[in-house]
Amino acid sequence: MLSHPCRLSTTKRMVALLFATLFACSSIFSVEAQFAGKLIQDPCVNKASCHDCIQTQNCAWCMEPDFIDLPRCFKNNLQNYCKEEYTWNPFTEQKFTINRELTRGGNASAAAGYGYGYGGSYEASSSYSSSSSSSSYAGAYGSAAAAGASASSGEIVQISPQRVSLKLRINQLHSLNMRYSQAIDYPVDLYYLMDLSKSMEDDKDKLSALGDKLSETMRNITSNFRLGFGSFVDKVLMPYVSTIPKKLERPCDGCEAPYGYRNHMPLSTNTSTFTSEVSRAAVSGNLDAPEGGFDAIMQAIVCRQQIGWREKARRLLVFSTDAGFHYAGDGKLGGVIAPNDGECHLSGEGLYTHSVIQDYPSISQINHKVKQNSINVIFAVTANQHSVYEKLAQHIEGSSSAVLSEDSSNVVDLVRSEYSKISSAIEMKDNATSNIKITYHSACLNGGPEIPTAKCDGLKVGDVVNFTAQILVTSCPTDPREWNQVIQIYPVGINESLVIDLEMLCSCPCERPGTTGYEAHSPKCNNHGTLMCGVCECDDMHFGHNCECSTSDVHTGSDKDLVCRADNTTQVDCNNRGTCLCGVCECEKRSNPEEIISGKFCECDNFSCERRKNVLCSGPDHGTCECSHCVCKPGWTGSACDCRESTDTCMPPNGGELCSGNGECECGVCKCKSTPEGRYSGKVCEKCPTCAGRCLELKHCVQCQMYKTGEFKDEDKCAANCSNTFVPIGEEKIVIDEEKDELLCIFFDEDDCKYTFKYSEVNGKLEVHAQQERECPPKVFMLGIVLGVIAAIVLVGLAILLLWKLLTTIHDRREFARFEKERMNAKWDTGENPIYKQATSTFKNPMYAGQ
């Protein structure tokens, strides 16, 4: 904390001395007043050290020893704030270390359009202001003499420049222009790696027959061509191959003993031997479906000397198989647990010696070695395996996959086609760490403005492509040894790169011993500390601006504690977030080291700003928290930096008013309004499902023109009111296309028929589509219905009467029949009393019945 000359350390001073001191300090108060309103908004003022200051964008440090009580870290655009000789405001510096001209690529006029000059020194350097975007260079971009030297030496150069020294500040975007051109007759190394399991026997024979044609095809592309051949089967272990002694010697008819990988023919210009080597190679066999192709790929890549890969050549590895692959972890099935070390293990005969010792490599290991050795892998596989290898190619840089016929008869066309795809495209990659962000822009060959892209297609030999690499150091690594890094920007599959020797400007020279501004045991620090960049770094026993306070002096007197309060209205020292020690606020330390309380009276922090979705200031891409307020980055606004300044997202695609005039643009999003007609919706408030729109205006003309009904059904009236407006287009069924902003209208006419039409306005022209036929309800014949109802009632009544008559007749007949029966059984007419019984009984002897 800086001491103020007008602060009083005791109340015992004379009143006259007090007035004199206050008068002398009036000029200082006027200076402070100029900056008092900026303390909260200025991200520089809270930086207590020089390295923290220069790591903040657009900030400079004042190392003047006797600086007044103002922040040493300030905006670098302030004039007369600090003397120039005491101001540390490092600029971005760029120096071209190696800049040879492209081989057969481009010309002077083309290069000049991108800021390249000729005729300068071989090593050119330039400096940039910290607020500059570094879009133009003061130095030369190469020399004709150097270009001529590289051309005459025979060395091929396809990327320019080759090495750049760059000093860059944090959060300062720097643009670096580079060029690429594929050289004419660029060397090509093609290594054919083939699966020689039994199922590939016919493929081997076809490849042997097509060897000369393959060589001839590639020599038509480049005269500097070399060809090699290798094969693989699988690990000689169970369960990959049969370990029965007889099977180990001859796993199948006409087969040789199995092996992991064998280099039959190193890369050679004598391509005529390719056919004989392929023909002599015998097939073998294994048990499981996947093969040990990853072992073979790894050895073919890392054994550069044995394979014969050249430094300056396009390296192609054609991998041919009809089966899947084993990868890291599968070796445990055979008892192999040692991970693959990514090293070369070939014997003098070209056999892979560690096949049964090391596990298969992983996909990431293959990808790492492919990038490290700049090799393009072409997976030539059969149709049933293509989907698997197509996904694999997505995880290996610079690789591709293609369908190989069942007998490999299309191998020549496949290699030629894939090489054409590889050589006609260029993609820039880099090995930057997480602290460095590199984005690429290029117009490719379109000749228009640059767009964000790292890849260009459709290139031919000699075409020059210009790329702009935008480099941004987002943060300083915690380890100072990582402040100097070597970054490579390289085209995928090309063994050339632009090397950037990057020095991050994360610290100040005055913070290092032996430099100006660094003084150990300085008298200005009361011999209790080190003066660094104008600020005292006190020892463990002292503190204060000039190390004037001892750790044993903890002042608690009310008069002295007043200096730790922002004004006389508060009774709390250091905003209750720190301790007042020796007239200085010592702010609290939070458990999270990234959360810092700062400020003269501990009034600031970097963690209590407004949040959006629980993210402080909507994230580092939107803004930073400075003194409890969000400081938004360009393009963002709002209390939480969650609103875009641009209103482009609120504009209708075809132009017009913001939000179609039906809403307000807030944070780049349209907030649609409600009207008495209805509520608007849609991305730009272009829709209103409940609004009538122009439906009422168009309905009468649609009725008269399509259906000859409505108010204008008279032809003369229809022609007078509608002929010049629009002519509806008939459709069988009306379907809305939302992309065309069409609106649907539905009405019922005087015949109670439903008719539907839609309309849209394209380029000011009204277009109406109407349903060809109305949907009318079926006609109802009331007289028939009434007569039918009456007839039905009569018939039902007659039926009921007849039924009643039938039932009564049946009942009567039954009663009469019963009466007759009873009457016939009656004996009242015999003349005898039915209850009288005679006293004598008469019996007849059946024996004499006939006499």
Side-chain angles (χ1 to χ4, degrees), residues 196-260:
L196 281 189
S197 56
K198 182 64 175 178
S199 60
M200 293 287 288
E201 186 172 13
D202 58 339
D203 299 77
K204 181 186 79 72
D205 297 337
K206 182 62 68 174
L207 178 63
S208 175
L210 295 175
D212 293 336
K213 186 177 180 181
L214 176 62
S215 302
E216 181 183 354
T217 300
M218 294 305 298
R219 288 195 183 280
N220 290 334
I221 297 174
T222 174
S223 61
N224 197 349
F225 172 67
R226 299 200 306 172
L227 185 62
F229 174 66
S231 66
F232 64 92
V233 182
D234 211 335
K235 295 183 183 296
V236 188
L237 293 170
M238 281 291 290
Y240 316 112
V241 302
S242 176
T243 55
I244 299 174
K246 183 178 178 181
K247 291 291 185 179
L248 282 176
E249 294 180 2
R250 189 173 297 276
C252 52
D253 294 337
C255 296
E256 284 192 354
Y259 55 91

Side-chain angles (χ1 to χ4, degrees), residues 122-143:
Y122 177 71
E123 294 186 356
S125 63
S126 53
S127 298
Y128 311 92
S129 169
S130 59
S131 61
S132 168
S133 64
S134 306
S135 59
S136 63
Y137 304 143
Y141 201 128
S143 64

